[in-house]
Amino acid sequence: FLFNSLNTISSRIYKDEEKAEVFIRRLAKMYDFTLKSYHQKLITLQEEVNFVKAYIYLIQTRFQNKVSCLITIDDDLLATRIPPLTLQMLVENAVKHNQMSIDKPLFISIKSIDSIIVVENNITQPPKNITSFNIGLKNIEARYLLLVNKAISITKEEKFIVKLPL
């Protein structure tokens, strides 16, 4: 991720200084958040959503109109708590496991349904030379069972869907 982010900055710095500066500031905020939340077991959904928005900005700067994300979460749920970096890992997995193009963009949706957060993405062709051990998903599952005492739900059919209980 850091390697890709530095390459994105390098390619933008002479083309669009202002966009490169915003990219660097958001990247710095992401790392600051990551360091601060490392020792926290749970954070508010609002904090996680803010972090994911910064991450999505970086992804969209890199892939431009090949990826989009829509976040629609009820305001009443934003004070609830979840394990840190949960949503970010799911967005990162969607980007990692799908090829993106103008003709076949990646669409990620993060929404609330009652007391569940649903993260889903369309499934495109898998990238070449990517081997997955599902460590990110296993990590999220284990943290949910340990910290929230609830199981997550994972479905892969036409879309890849993860449901996170609050």
Side-chain angles (χ1 to χ4, degrees), residues 62-73:
R62 182 172 168 216
F63 293 106
Q64 298 177 0
N65 52 359
K66 297 175 188 171
V67 62
S68 63
C69 182
L70 178 63
I71 301 174
T72 51
I73 296 177

PDB file of all heavy atoms in Angstrom, residues 62-73:
ATOM      1  N   ARG A  62      -5.634   7.031  -7.258  1.00  0.00           N
ATOM      2  CA  ARG A  62      -4.790   6.064  -7.962  1.00  0.00           C
ATOM      3  C   ARG A  62      -5.506   5.442  -9.166  1.00  0.00           C
ATOM      4  O   ARG A  62      -4.936   5.353 -10.248  1.00  0.00           O
ATOM      5  CB  ARG A  62      -4.366   4.970  -6.985  1.00  0.00           C
ATOM      6  CG  ARG A  62      -3.465   3.942  -7.602  1.00  0.00           C
ATOM      7  CD  ARG A  62      -2.911   2.987  -6.565  1.00  0.00           C
ATOM      8  NE  ARG A  62      -2.279   1.870  -7.229  1.00  0.00           N
ATOM      9  CZ  ARG A  62      -2.305   0.631  -6.796  1.00  0.00           C
ATOM     10  NH1 ARG A  62      -2.890   0.346  -5.654  1.00  0.00           N
ATOM     11  NH2 ARG A  62      -1.721  -0.325  -7.457  1.00  0.00           N
ATOM     12  N   PHE A  63      -6.751   5.018  -8.985  1.00  0.00           N
ATOM     13  CA  PHE A  63      -7.459   4.294 -10.040  1.00  0.00           C
ATOM     14  C   PHE A  63      -8.469   5.152 -10.791  1.00  0.00           C
ATOM     15  O   PHE A  63      -9.094   4.666 -11.738  1.00  0.00           O
ATOM     16  CB  PHE A  63      -8.174   3.068  -9.446  1.00  0.00           C
ATOM     17  CG  PHE A  63      -7.237   2.020  -8.939  1.00  0.00           C
ATOM     18  CD1 PHE A  63      -7.054   1.836  -7.580  1.00  0.00           C
ATOM     19  CD2 PHE A  63      -6.516   1.217  -9.814  1.00  0.00           C
ATOM     20  CE1 PHE A  63      -6.187   0.867  -7.098  1.00  0.00           C
ATOM     21  CE2 PHE A  63      -5.643   0.249  -9.345  1.00  0.00           C
ATOM     22  CZ  PHE A  63      -5.480   0.074  -7.985  1.00  0.00           C
ATOM     23  N   GLN A  64      -8.669   6.371 -10.362  1.00  0.00           N
ATOM     24  CA  GLN A  64      -9.586   7.340 -10.951  1.00  0.00           C
ATOM     25  C   GLN A  64     -10.985   6.757 -11.101  1.00  0.00           C
ATOM     26  O   GLN A  64     -11.530   6.256 -10.142  1.00  0.00           O
ATOM     27  CB  GLN A  64      -8.988   7.880 -12.234  1.00  0.00           C
ATOM     28  CG  GLN A  64      -7.692   8.608 -11.929  1.00  0.00           C
ATOM     29  CD  GLN A  64      -6.976   9.114 -13.126  1.00  0.00           C
ATOM     30  OE1 GLN A  64      -7.400   8.961 -14.252  1.00  0.00           O
ATOM     31  NE2 GLN A  64      -5.840   9.730 -12.885  1.00  0.00           N
ATOM     32  N   ASN A  65     -11.579   6.818 -12.281  1.00  0.00           N
ATOM     33  CA  ASN A  65     -12.970   6.398 -12.420  1.00  0.00           C
ATOM     34  C   ASN A  65     -13.134   4.892 -12.645  1.00  0.00           C
ATOM     35  O   ASN A  65     -14.165   4.440 -13.129  1.00  0.00           O
ATOM     36  CB  ASN A  65     -13.672   7.186 -13.528  1.00  0.00           C
ATOM     37  CG  ASN A  65     -12.898   7.156 -14.824  1.00  0.00           C
ATOM     38  OD1 ASN A  65     -11.827   6.572 -14.901  1.00  0.00           O
ATOM     39  ND2 ASN A  65     -13.430   7.794 -15.842  1.00  0.00           N
ATOM     40  N   LYS A  66     -12.152   4.129 -12.229  1.00  0.00           N
ATOM     41  CA  LYS A  66     -12.250   2.666 -12.299  1.00  0.00           C
ATOM     42  C   LYS A  66     -12.814   2.082 -11.004  1.00  0.00           C
ATOM     43  O   LYS A  66     -13.093   0.901 -10.933  1.00  0.00           O
ATOM     44  CB  LYS A  66     -10.874   2.048 -12.576  1.00  0.00           C
ATOM     45  CG  LYS A  66     -10.299   2.450 -13.919  1.00  0.00           C
ATOM     46  CD  LYS A  66      -8.901   1.910 -14.086  1.00  0.00           C
ATOM     47  CE  LYS A  66      -8.266   2.471 -15.338  1.00  0.00           C
ATOM     48  NZ  LYS A  66      -6.843   2.132 -15.417  1.00  0.00           N
ATOM     49  N   VAL A  67     -12.968   2.924  -9.984  1.00  0.00           N
ATOM     50  CA  VAL A  67     -13.491   2.463  -8.691  1.00  0.00           C
ATOM     51  C   VAL A  67     -14.363   3.560  -8.083  1.00  0.00           C
ATOM     52  O   VAL A  67     -14.061   4.744  -8.213  1.00  0.00           O
ATOM     53  CB  VAL A  67     -12.349   2.072  -7.724  1.00  0.00           C
ATOM     54  CG1 VAL A  67     -11.454   3.246  -7.408  1.00  0.00           C
ATOM     55  CG2 VAL A  67     -12.890   1.447  -6.458  1.00  0.00           C
ATOM     56  N   SER A  68     -15.450   3.132  -7.470  1.00  0.00           N
ATOM     57  CA  SER A  68     -16.296   4.081  -6.748  1.00  0.00           C
ATOM     58  C   SER A  68     -16.837   3.412  -5.491  1.00  0.00           C
ATOM     59  O   SER A  68     -16.887   2.185  -5.401  1.00  0.00           O
ATOM     60  CB  SER A  68     -17.452   4.581  -7.625  1.00  0.00           C
ATOM     61  OG  SER A  68     -18.294   3.517  -7.974  1.00  0.00           O
ATOM     62  N   CYS A  69     -17.211   4.244  -4.542  1.00  0.00           N
ATOM     63  CA  CYS A  69     -17.723   3.728  -3.271  1.00  0.00           C
ATOM     64  C   CYS A  69     -18.842   4.636  -2.785  1.00  0.00           C
ATOM     65  O   CYS A  69     -18.706   5.859  -2.808  1.00  0.00           O
ATOM     66  CB  CYS A  69     -16.602   3.668  -2.242  1.00  0.00           C
ATOM     67  SG  CYS A  69     -17.127   2.981  -0.658  1.00  0.00           S
ATOM     68  N   LEU A  70     -19.917   4.013  -2.368  1.00  0.00           N
ATOM     69  CA  LEU A  70     -21.052   4.741  -1.822  1.00  0.00           C
ATOM     70  C   LEU A  70     -21.236   4.309  -0.370  1.00  0.00           C
ATOM     71  O   LEU A  70     -21.331   3.118  -0.084  1.00  0.00           O
ATOM     72  CB  LEU A  70     -22.324   4.439  -2.626  1.00  0.00           C
ATOM     73  CG  LEU A  70     -23.602   5.095  -2.139  1.00  0.00           C
ATOM     74  CD1 LEU A  70     -23.503   6.616  -2.236  1.00  0.00           C
ATOM     75  CD2 LEU A  70     -24.785   4.582  -2.950  1.00  0.00           C
ATOM     76  N   ILE A  71     -21.260   5.286   0.537  1.00  0.00           N
ATOM     77  CA  ILE A  71     -21.455   4.999   1.962  1.00  0.00           C
ATOM     78  C   ILE A  71     -22.785   5.601   2.394  1.00  0.00           C
ATOM     79  O   ILE A  71     -22.978   6.820   2.298  1.00  0.00           O
ATOM     80  CB  ILE A  71     -20.301   5.576   2.814  1.00  0.00           C
ATOM     81  CG1 ILE A  71     -18.967   4.977   2.375  1.00  0.00           C
ATOM     82  CG2 ILE A  71     -20.561   5.327   4.297  1.00  0.00           C
ATOM     83  CD1 ILE A  71     -17.752   5.581   3.041  1.00  0.00           C
ATOM     84  N   THR A  72     -23.694   4.741   2.850  1.00  0.00           N
ATOM     85  CA  THR A  72     -24.998   5.199   3.336  1.00  0.00           C
ATOM     86  C   THR A  72     -25.294   4.486   4.656  1.00  0.00           C
ATOM     87  O   THR A  72     -25.779   3.368   4.673  1.00  0.00           O
ATOM     88  CB  THR A  72     -26.124   4.917   2.320  1.00  0.00           C
ATOM     89  OG1 THR A  72     -26.065   3.545   1.938  1.00  0.00           O
ATOM     90  CG2 THR A  72     -26.002   5.782   1.093  1.00  0.00           C
ATOM     91  N   ILE A  73     -24.945   5.156   5.735  1.00  0.00           N
ATOM     92  CA  ILE A  73     -25.130   4.593   7.072  1.00  0.00           C
ATOM     93  C   ILE A  73     -26.027   5.534   7.867  1.00  0.00           C
ATOM     94  O   ILE A  73     -25.826   6.753   7.861  1.00  0.00           O
ATOM     95  CB  ILE A  73     -23.767   4.400   7.783  1.00  0.00           C
ATOM     96  CG1 ILE A  73     -22.941   3.376   7.016  1.00  0.00           C
ATOM     97  CG2 ILE A  73     -23.965   3.978   9.231  1.00  0.00           C
ATOM     98  CD1 ILE A  73     -21.557   3.148   7.553  1.00  0.00           C
TER      99      ILE A  73
END
